[in-house]
Amino acid sequence: MENIIIVGAGLVGSLLSVYLARAGFKVSVYDRNSDPRQVNLQSGRSINITLSERGFRALDAVGAGDTVRELCIPVCGRIMHARDGELTYQPYGNNKEAIYSIGRDDLSKALVNFAQKHENIEFYFNQKCIDIDLPTARLKLQDLQTGEITQVQADRIFAADGAYSPVRYKMQRLKRFNYSQEYLDRGYKEIIIPAGNEGNWALEKNAIHIWPRDSFMLIGFPNLDKSFTLSLHLPYEEEISHNSTASPDALQNLFETYFPDIWPLVYPNLGDYAKKPVESMITIKCFPWSYQDKVLLIGDSCHAVVPSYGQGANAGFENCQLLTQCIEKHLGDWQTAFKEYETLRKPEMDVLAHLCLEHFTVLRKMVGDRKFIERAKIERKLQEMNSEYASLYYNISFTSMSYSEALRSERIHQEIISEFAEKNLKSEVSV
Ligand SMILES: Cc1cc2nc3c(=O)[nH]c(=O)nc-3n(C[C@H](O)[C@H](O)[C@H](O)COP(=O)(O)OP(=O)(O)OC[C@H]3O[C@@H](n4cnc5c(N)ncnc54)[C@H](O)[C@@H]3O)c2cc1C
């Protein structure tokens, strides 16, 4: 049995371990963090994430979907909160299609638990990768509890060690390795709104709540414990920014001016908001993703995207499935398997990165706009008439259509939708 090491027991590393174990390999997973089942992680990253069709397909294919579903809340649309308190509901589809909100820690624990049921998977926590020798697939690890340094070697290493991947960092020094990173010019801070007085959700639970305000926004996700996680996205530098709202008075002024309906719920729950760091969001691209037949990058380590579409983990899960298909197709010929996988997926991840950047602007600037809401209605009407006319958001979130195909289809259908919208508006005017 070949030995495989996975660096990173995050969302992608844990699921990948299951795929590889089921394909017959012996898998050892090393992570610098403590066992997520014993601690409350929640350091820095978003508190919850949303899973969609393509993510669930990859979970279901190894039997992990239902365990995860139990921890999720279905979200069937967006509720936009205008400054005057008016609410507008926009369903995602015509048939109550939902994305699923889940606590990041809950998902992480569920995946590690699920993986540990496989006898050929071992997890090693508090083990920080401090170096890798690429040609020999040898890792240098530091035990973060004892300080002890050890070396481990495998036939192959998969680096699911996140956006700041130390393995990728080593690959960046290789000749002809391409790498780029770009930070979004906005950052976010999270605020938890606990369950309301009678133990109910304080806001409608089966929706994502958005307060779009052009250059900034507030967005809220339901949690299983009936709390809501709000993320305040502000520029770093502009007139209204994290800097300019750092004081309690300025923050209150921001909420009372732009998000007055939610301030009474936010105010008692600010806790140590002022002390929290502003979290950044990054797009990472690189190529190649593999080093010979020895090392492969997977997940955020090679394709981190900004979270507007809620697709980073979903795409990472999908990639575990595709990679395993390539490995099984070229069994024993790892280099061909790696090459096929990265050639197939790199263009897709580049399209996703682009769509995610665009969608951030849509969320903060457009979703509250009357024209945008009308257009979305037309899109749903057209889709009802002909299922091929699904919106870009629909194809990304509720199908497993490739990202590039979803973009191609969007370009074709936008023209049709524009024509339809124009006719509709004209007939409205003439009425
Ligand atoms: C604000 C925000 C919201 C998001 N929302 C969504 C969403 O709604 N839906 C969605 O699909 N995606 C979402 N994402 C993206 C998603 O979080 C990532 O795509 C996903 O976590 C990637 O998984 P990963 O396993 O590749 O990396 P990670 O989850 O980052 O895991 C990397 C692991 O590697 C370990 N590691 C790092 N360095 C070392 C080292 N030196 N030695 C050993 N271990 C190491 C870390 O401890 C960690 O456990 C969001 C991201 C952000 C920032």
Side-chain angles (χ1 to χ4, degrees):
M1 204 189 269
E2 281 218 31
N3 282 312
I4 286 179
I5 285 177
I6 297 177
V7 189
L11 303 183
V12 173
S14 303
L15 185 64
L16 181 64
S17 72
V18 174
Y19 268 94
L20 294 176
R22 289 166 68 101
F25 304 108
K26 184 172 179 304
V27 188
S28 306
V29 191
Y30 294 88
D31 201 292
R32 66 177 175 193
N33 279 343
S34 304
D35 187 334
R37 294 162 300 179
Q38 288 161 15
V39 290
N40 199 8
L41 291 174
Q42 293 192 359
S43 55
R45 312 297 299 279
S46 67
I47 292 166
N48 49 8
I49 69 170
T50 54
L51 292 177
S52 56
E53 171 66 18
R54 63 189 77 231
F56 272 114
R57 273 195 189 213
L59 290 166
D60 283 332
V62 289
D66 286 343
T67 313
V68 171
R69 271 186 198 89
E70 281 174 17
L71 305 168
C72 292
I73 297 185
V75 167
C76 305
R78 305 176 183 129
I79 293 180
M80 271 69 70
H81 295 240
R83 273 178 76 173
D84 63 5
E86 190 196 351
L87 303 181
T88 314
Y89 180 62
Q90 201 181 70
Y92 287 133
N94 291 315
N95 301 301
K96 293 212 163 77
E97 289 88 340
I99 53 173
Y100 292 85
S101 176
I102 183 169
R104 182 184 284 278
D105 287 359
D106 291 342
L107 179 57
S108 179
K109 284 176 203 171
L111 289 177
V112 172
N113 258 337
F114 186 81
Q116 279 226 304
K117 291 183 186 147
H118 298 73
E119 58 184 26
N120 47 342
I121 303 178
E122 288 290 341
F123 281 90
Y124 302 90
F125 291 102
N126 302 303
Q127 298 294 322
K128 181 180 178 185
C129 162
I130 51 173
D131 197 11
I132 179 171
D133 185 52
L134 299 166
T136 56
R138 190 192 301 266
L139 273 191
K140 196 188 263 188
L141 297 161
Q142 181 175 31
D143 185 316
L144 293 181
Q145 287 176 328
T146 63
E148 193 191 344
I149 299 207
T150 51
Q151 298 216 23
V152 287
Q153 192 171 10
D155 296 303
R156 256 138 286 276
I157 293 180
F158 292 82
D161 47 354
Y164 301 96
S165 163
V167 175
R168 186 199 63 232
Y169 183 66
K170 195 71 187 272
M171 286 169 69
Q172 282 171 232
R173 296 182 220 165
L174 296 171
K175 277 188 186 156
R176 298 183 56 229
F177 184 88
N178 289 316
Y179 172 74
S180 72
Q181 67 174 51
E182 187 187 351
Y183 280 99
L184 207 62
D185 54 0
R186 285 157 172 78
Y188 70 94
K189 280 195 182 194
E190 292 185 328
I191 302 162
I192 302 288
I193 308 287
N197 283 344
E198 274 124 50
N200 295 322
W201 272 273
L203 300 165
E204 163 53 47
K205 71 173 191 299
N206 294 120
I208 283 177
H209 293 257
I210 309 184
W211 291 256
R213 299 293 182 264
D214 203 292
S215 74
F216 55 96
M217 70 173 173
L218 184 68
I219 185 160
F221 297 86
N223 298 314
L224 205 61
D225 66 359
K226 300 188 175 175
S227 65
F228 257 84
T229 306
L230 298 182
S231 294
L232 180 58
H233 290 255
L234 297 176
Y236 289 98
E237 306 297 345
E238 292 174 21
E239 196 183 329
I240 296 174
S241 65
H242 285 292
N243 278 344
S244 72
T245 56
S247 73
D249 284 352
L251 189 69
Q252 176 165 0
N253 186 36
L254 174 81
F255 270 89
E256 286 181 341
T257 311
Y258 293 100
F259 317 114
D261 63 337
I262 195 75
W263 177 242
L265 292 176
V266 165
Y267 176 66
N269 296 302
L270 280 171
D272 59 354
Y273 179 88
K275 286 194 200 138
K276 282 188 194 168
V278 178
E279 301 298 341
S280 56
M281 287 163 283
I282 193 167
T283 303
I284 286 175
K285 294 180 184 173
C286 66
F287 203 74
W289 292 352
S290 59
Y291 176 82
Q292 298 174 356
D293 62 349
K294 285 290 175 196
V295 180
L296 183 85
L297 303 171
I298 188 161
D300 276 13
S301 68
C302 52
H303 52 68
V305 295
V306 299
S308 55
Y309 256 115
Q311 281 296 305
N314 284 288
F317 289 173
E318 201 174 33
N319 287 351
C320 294
Q321 190 174 17
L322 278 158
L323 170 64
T324 312
Q325 283 164 3
C326 292
I327 293 170
E328 288 180 329
K329 181 173 160 196
H330 301 286
L331 205 55
D333 183 355
W334 290 86
Q335 196 152 359
T336 304
F338 288 175
K339 286 282 162 227
E340 182 168 307
Y341 164 72
E342 66 185 13
T343 309
L344 277 173
R345 293 310 283 171
K346 164 71 174 159
E348 290 300 320
M349 294 304 112
D350 286 350
V351 170
L352 178 62
H354 161 76
L355 292 176
C356 289
L357 288 170
E358 270 194 356
H359 198 61
F360 234 108
T361 315
V362 170
L363 288 179
R364 68 181 162 77
K365 253 185 186 288
M366 291 162 72
V367 290
D369 184 68
R370 194 184 70 84
K371 274 192 191 152
F372 181 89
I373 292 168
E374 285 308 311
R375 202 178 171 92
K377 275 189 198 156
I378 292 167
E379 282 180 340
R380 287 199 303 280
K381 213 185 245 181
L382 275 175
Q383 194 185 350
E384 212 168 58
M385 286 154 52
N386 182 341
S387 60
E388 278 184 27
Y389 295 147
S391 68
L392 181 62
Y393 186 89
Y394 189 95
N395 282 331
I396 286 185
S397 299
F398 303 116
T399 75
S400 54
M401 181 186 283
S402 71
Y403 296 118
S404 53
E405 184 53 35
L407 181 60
R408 246 193 316 275
S409 155
E410 165 77 356
R411 284 180 181 149
I412 296 167
H413 296 141
Q414 272 312 315
E415 278 184 32
I416 301 167
I417 287 161
S418 292
E419 258 177 50
F420 195 92
E422 218 168 280
K423 269 189 213 154
N424 247 27
L425 282 178
K426 271 186 196 152
S427 62
E428 262 178 37
V429 171
S430 60
V431 166

